[in-house]
Amino acid sequence: MEAPFLAPESSGSSQDGNVASQETVIQRHPWRVHGSRYFQLILLCILILNNAVVWVAFSAITPATAAVYGVSPGLVNIVALSFQMLFLPGTIAGYMLKERWGLRLTLLAGAFMTALSAAIRFVSLYVPPVSLRNASTDGHDVNNGGGAYALLLLGTSLAALAQPLLLNTPPDLAVHWFAVKERDLVTSLAFMCSPLGSALGVTLAPVFVSEAGADTEEDVSGSHRNDARGGLRLFLLAQLGMSVATTLLAHAGATDRPPTPPSRAAALGSQREEERVHSSDASGSRVLCMPLAWELVAPDLRRCLLCNPSFLLLLFCFGIGLGFFNALLTLLGQLLAPCGYSEAEAGALGGIFLGTGLVGAVMAGVLLDASHRYGLLLKSGFLGAWAASLFVVFTLRPDNFLVLALCFGLLGFTMLPLLPVAIENGVEITYPDVPEFFSSGLLLSAGNLTGIPLAFIFAWTIDSYEGSCRKLWKPAAVLVVVVTTACALPVLGYRPRAFGRWEAEKEQRREGLEGCGHDVATRDA
């Protein structure tokens, strides 16, 4: 016979202010996991992957896109940077939406915004660029993008705001739908869909769009530009079809919560969310109003940044590390070009980096579920990525592809798993004071914000160096060493007071309440 679902006794852990409500009975439901959890995970993975394809769409076809829209390649790069610029505003908006209306509506909003983004970007191809003629152009027409580029940027901005609504969700889905022994692996798998979608988009875009000669004056106004426009139209139409399909799938299957919680931590989190919503209802306000929005966000910001030194340290180290990761992938071709490596070889190294990273992330999720040694795996990952980045710096030479491939494989294997490992650490050390969506959103926002200046600085160090690639301490190499050292060594001082969710599960087992329960195939309680 299954034990009833009870809150912890008041004599439990005293580290959290929210423990005052632990003396009450939360719900008297058995703790069980449901078979429908796998559908929820697959749905979230599809949504994240589709949004990532929309994000990276133009990075591999920048010259052709610039020619079609009549703008400079720099303006095309701004389209991609909008995802990093808008991640923090999207996180705050998504947090307010989820706290007020739940996970289902948050996922639906993210899916719909991505589909609307794809539709606007497809329509932008039918808006002719504005042509300007003046003395400085020697009487020739020069396209400045006009309304076409404006629609492109508007559509991409919608997808950028939708990204955090989806990408901040895996820890919340994992804790509320999956058993204790599954949720770390689930978080890892869901987060890996973003780089997987990016790799898919980078691979597919050149298949649809031909860039041959797109950067020449003849091709900008001639047949090559028309070919690029036709290929880009087909690529954006495929994105639109996929986005509409995923939106319909989300509408049909997305669910807020399972009928019964899978663990003590999930139940306490659900109770906390209900109390916050009821509190806002009692005040006669709505979470989406700006005054109450600040009242909702400010306490969680204070708990994360001022009252939790371990989270602040994690935010600093992970923010720099994720920013470096984004900058490295963005400028990988430019970094390798001075050493004589072609775009194909740069693409192969990037594929090796992402492929070994996916394997490492899955292994990290399995290790976390088996050992729950969150701090140890975090420190090991940072130090391993630091060492691997040094290997890349030391082996970046002409005609050294095989050794570079080995080093990039090691770098991906150690660096990419840091994404789910750091997020799980952030969620653990802020539980139950801060919802999973907010803590993971802060960490990802820090990485996106630092990635913007790091990308510009990284590009400047590459462009400013005109010496031989055989020289070891190139400006870009010095920057890599400085940045990776700045985020790897401080993490050695990471010593959180407790991992809250795991402590709650240990208390559950001490009381003889099993958190894995039965695997129920239906949604009935």
Side-chain angles (χ1 to χ4, degrees):
M1 182 176 180
E2 297 179 18
F5 170 57
L6 302 175
E9 299 296 331
S10 59
S11 59
S13 175
S14 59
Q15 63 173 347
D16 303 307
N18 292 341
V19 183
S21 62
Q22 289 182 345
E23 298 178 358
T24 63
V25 176
I26 302 175
Q27 290 178 338
R28 291 188 175 274
H29 284 302
W31 296 358
R32 297 181 295 188
V33 290
H34 295 254
S36 57
R37 68 191 186 276
Y38 297 114
F39 175 80
Q40 301 299 321
L41 173 61
I42 293 173
L43 173 61
L44 178 60
C45 288
I46 292 174
L47 293 174
I48 293 175
L49 188 145
N50 179 65
N51 185 271
V53 172
V54 173
W55 170 20
V56 80
F58 304 117
S59 63
I61 52 173
T62 298
T65 305
V68 169
Y69 284 93
V71 296
S72 66
L75 289 178
V76 177
N77 291 334
I78 289 178
V79 172
L81 284 176
S82 65
F83 276 80
Q84 294 171 286
M85 297 175 182
L86 295 176
F87 197 93
L88 181 58
T91 292
I92 296 175
Y95 176 52
M96 294 186 293
L97 182 65
K98 181 189 168 298
E99 286 294 294
R100 178 57 176 151
W101 300 109
L103 179 64
R104 170 180 164 80
L105 190 60
T106 303
L107 293 181
L108 283 176
F112 176 77
M113 291 170 65
T114 304
L116 183 59
S117 163
I120 293 175
R121 298 190 338 167
F122 179 71
V123 170
S124 70
L125 288 173
Y126 293 90
V127 178
V130 177
S131 296
L132 300 177
R133 178 178 295 181
N134 53 42
S136 62
T137 61
D138 298 327
H140 292 89
D141 290 341
V142 177
N143 294 324
N144 72 342
Y149 177 76
L151 282 178
L152 175 66
L153 188 58
L154 172 63
T156 305
S157 298
L158 282 175
L161 289 172
Q163 186 187 43
L165 273 64
L166 305 172
L167 199 54
N168 294 339
T169 302
D172 183 272
L173 179 80
V175 72
H176 288 288
W177 278 90
F178 287 83
V180 178
K181 64 181 181 180
E182 301 171 325
R183 63 188 180 208
D184 293 324
L185 178 59
V186 165
T187 300
S188 299
L189 291 175
F191 272 121
M192 288 306 101
C193 290
S194 183
L196 183 60
S198 298
L200 183 63
V202 170
T203 303
L204 290 179
V207 175
F208 284 90
V209 182
S210 173
E211 292 186 87
D215 56 346
T216 67
E217 182 68 23
E218 177 184 353
D219 294 331
V220 167
S221 59
S223 60
H224 284 281
R225 178 182 171 182
N226 292 329
D227 292 342
R229 180 180 291 273
L232 188 59
R233 182 183 295 116
L234 185 59
F235 184 43
L236 295 183
L237 181 61
Q239 289 183 16
L240 176 59
M242 183 63 181
S243 299
V244 171
T246 56
T247 301
L248 295 176
L249 184 63
H251 183 270
T255 306
D256 280 318
R257 293 285 184 265
T260 52
S263 65
R264 173 187 293 272
L268 290 176
S270 297
Q271 183 197 32
R272 175 202 61 206
E273 292 178 3
E274 292 176 3
E275 290 174 349
R276 292 162 70 95
V277 172
H278 292 161
S279 175
S280 65
D281 289 340
S283 66
S285 304
R286 295 184 179 181
V287 171
L288 297 182
C289 295
M290 287 309 298
L292 187 60
W294 178 246
E295 293 178 6
L296 179 70
V297 172
D300 290 333
L301 276 175
R302 184 175 64 252
R303 295 186 188 105
C304 287
L305 303 182
L306 300 180
C307 303
N308 197 327
S310 295
F311 184 85
L312 191 60
L313 176 62
L314 180 63
L315 187 72
F316 173 80
C317 296
F318 179 73
I320 295 178
L322 182 58
F324 170 72
F325 168 79
N326 290 332
L328 178 64
L329 282 186
T330 303
L331 302 171
L332 181 59
Q334 298 181 40
L335 178 66
L336 296 173
C339 295
Y341 294 101
S342 65
E343 292 183 359
E345 290 173 319
L349 291 176
I352 293 171
F353 178 85
L354 291 175
T356 57
L358 292 174
V359 174
V362 173
M363 292 180 61
V366 172
L367 288 174
L368 283 175
D369 278 328
S371 66
H372 298 282
R373 302 295 297 272
Y374 296 99
L376 177 61
L377 286 174
L378 180 74
K379 296 176 182 179
S380 301
F382 267 103
L383 293 178
W386 175 62
S389 65
L390 295 182
F391 292 155
V392 170
V393 168
F394 294 149
T395 57
L396 185 54
R397 299 284 186 278
D399 304 320
N400 201 27
F401 180 80
L402 292 180
V403 177
L404 269 180
L406 179 62
C407 292
F408 269 93
L410 181 60
L411 183 62
F413 184 79
T414 54
M415 179 176 288
L416 206 55
L418 284 174
L419 176 58
V421 170
I423 295 297
E424 285 295 272
N425 271 270
V427 168
E428 287 285 342
I429 65 178
T430 56
Y431 176 91
D433 290 332
V434 180
E436 294 85 358
F437 189 99
F438 190 77
S439 58
S440 60
L442 272 185
L443 290 170
L444 292 172
S445 297
N448 280 280
L449 290 176
T450 56
I452 298 173
L454 276 178
F456 284 109
I457 297 173
F458 208 177
W460 176 77
T461 59
I462 295 173
D463 295 339
S464 64
Y465 180 65
E466 300 179 355
S468 171
C469 181
R470 297 185 181 278
K471 185 176 180 180
L472 176 61
W473 295 112
K474 302 175 286 292
V478 174
L479 179 64
V480 169
V481 173
V482 171
V483 170
T484 54
T485 302
C487 65
L489 295 187
V491 82
L492 295 176
Y494 177 73
R495 293 181 176 84
R497 291 171 295 182
F499 298 105
R501 291 189 311 180
W502 179 231
E503 291 296 329
E505 310 304 351
K506 289 194 293 186
E507 179 68 21
Q508 164 188 311
R509 290 202 304 275
R510 281 196 293 267
E511 294 181 2
L513 303 177
E514 294 297 331
C516 294
H518 298 289
D519 192 343
V520 182
T522 67
R523 296 188 180 184
D524 298 327

